[in-house]
Amino acid sequence: MAKDLRIIFMGTPDFAVASLDILVKNGFNVVGVITAPDKPAGRGLQLQESAVKKYAVANNLKVLQPEKLKNPAFIEELRALKADLQVVVAFRMLPELVWDMPQEGTINVHASLLPQYRGAAPINWAIINGEKVSGVTTFKLQHEIDTGDILYSQEVPIREDETAGELHDALMHTGAELLLKTVKSIADGTAKGTPQKDVAPADIKHAPKIFKDTCKLDWQKPIDQVYNLMRGLSPYPAAWTTFQSKTLKIYKAHKELTPPTVAPGEFETDQKTYLKIAAADGWLVLDEIQLEGKKRMGVVEFLRGYRF
């Protein structure tokens, strides 16, 4: 049955590669891969291929890279692939013309337990909000974003010190396994969609796109909130603060629950082994940082070369 189902895979970053790989390795017939166009990056602005494209090329899969998903030439190419099913993992929003094309519809792998954390940054916001559990959901696409019928979901615990990068990797592998289970059930006709539960608007937690202002640490807040924001933005795009008139990114830190003796936002250091910044009711003790114009480094190395 696996080889009978013609699948188009849509995705761009590393998170999607594990899902594509598990389909290929389990003998599913991936007839096309849709990913973002190559983009200039780095100092030389050389064209960079997406992680999904690199994998697809290495495995001799047909690749399409449309600039616009409503482009008539792209729609014709897509239709010619005669897909039975489309799989979307970490891609952009699809027009109905695209997601409604295959007979079995289009399924999405989303890095949260829907209906919570719909949106672009579910991994980050789960940690920023101090959640103890996250997870992955597979569901069928329909008109409103992340609202389609749920096929399967799987919980993943969040450690107290876990960063967004670490949770990303855990969910990436769980998501691939859940996708395999989902596609097998579609292939053998046993998949059953369940409508998402109605949740009162006040109880819905959202996962909007993250901007630079989102990443600025507010030292007037309790230490738990400061610490969770730092974890939820590490390693990318990274929480930041202003330190002696320069931008300081914080990648790793830990909490100290001693009441501060200085105002929120002020720091203490022995200039050799520690650097900590006061929040409302505790300290954020910095472990790995990057000062504007410098490389990322451990705090001891930073203190060795920094003049206060």
Side-chain angles (χ1 to χ4, degrees), residues 94-110:
L94 302 182
E96 183 176 357
L97 181 64
V98 172
W99 61 253
D100 199 34
M101 196 181 289
Q103 183 181 328
E104 297 288 348
T106 298
I107 59 171
N108 185 215
V109 177
H110 186 72

Side-chain angles (χ1 to χ4, degrees), residues 12-283:
T12 296
D14 283 325
F15 188 87
V17 173
S19 289
L20 177 55
D21 181 56
I22 209 165
L23 293 179
V24 170
K25 285 191 172 147
N26 280 272
F28 281 94
N29 184 17
V30 179
V31 296
V33 173
I34 318 299
T35 191
D38 299 350
K39 289 188 176 161
R43 288 186 180 173
L45 291 179
Q46 291 187 320
L47 287 178
Q48 297 288 320
E49 299 174 334
S50 75
V52 163
K53 181 183 176 182
K54 287 176 185 170
Y55 177 91
V57 169
N59 287 273
N60 300 311
L61 300 172
K62 181 178 178 64
V63 177
L64 298 178
Q65 296 178 275
E67 288 280 353
K68 294 182 178 170
L69 297 174
K70 289 183 180 177
N71 182 301
F74 166 66
I75 295 296
E76 280 312 304
E77 274 193 285
L78 199 60
R79 203 169 270 131
L81 293 172
K82 296 186 167 75
D84 302 304
L85 175 71
Q86 289 176 159
V87 172
V88 179
V89 185
F91 196 53
R92 54 204 207 250
M93 279 185 67
L94 302 182
E96 183 176 357
L97 181 64
V98 172
W99 61 253
D100 199 34
M101 196 181 289
Q103 183 181 328
E104 297 288 348
T106 298
I107 59 171
N108 185 215
V109 177
H110 186 72
S112 83
L113 297 171
L114 292 172
Q116 297 294 0
Y117 294 106
R118 294 172 179 150
I123 296 172
N124 306 92
W125 285 107
I127 292 182
I128 291 168
N129 290 338
E131 300 290 357
K132 301 290 188 282
V133 175
S134 182
V136 182
T137 306
T138 54
F139 69 98
K140 283 207 159 187
L141 285 194
Q142 62 181 39
H143 286 282
E144 289 182 61
I145 189 165
D146 299 339
T147 60
D149 289 358
I150 289 172
L151 295 162
Y152 295 100
S153 63
Q154 176 71 49
E155 287 189 357
V156 172
I158 302 176
R159 294 191 324 272
E160 197 174 322
D161 63 348
E162 194 157 16
T163 63
E166 291 163 339
L167 181 59
H168 167 283
D169 291 352
L171 295 180
M172 176 173 70
H173 296 297
T174 301
E177 295 288 346
L178 199 67
L179 174 63
L180 180 62
K181 178 180 178 179
T182 303
V183 175
K184 280 181 175 175
S185 73
I186 290 169
D188 64 23
T190 59
K192 287 191 176 119
T194 307
Q196 292 192 36
K197 290 175 186 166
D198 288 328
V199 179
D203 296 328
I204 282 281
K205 295 169 184 174
H206 299 283
K209 191 174 178 181
I210 286 171
F211 296 96
K212 188 178 179 186
D213 285 353
T214 318
C215 305
K216 187 176 183 184
L217 291 161
D218 180 354
W219 300 105
Q220 303 289 338
K221 290 189 172 176
I223 186 59
D224 282 349
Q225 289 184 33
V226 171
Y227 178 63
N228 290 343
L229 184 69
M230 183 279 303
R231 289 191 302 130
L233 298 169
S234 178
Y236 182 82
W240 64 277
T241 189
T242 301
F243 182 78
Q244 299 200 318
S245 304
K246 288 190 172 180
T247 298
L248 181 76
K249 289 184 175 180
I250 303 171
Y251 295 97
K252 284 186 183 172
H254 59 278
K255 293 184 289 185
E256 187 181 293
L257 300 180
T258 319
T261 50
V262 297
E266 292 190 10
F267 69 88
E268 274 193 6
T269 179
D270 64 356
Q271 300 192 24
K272 288 179 183 175
T273 60
Y274 75 86
L275 172 61
K276 59 186 184 179
I277 302 177
D281 59 352
W283 298 89

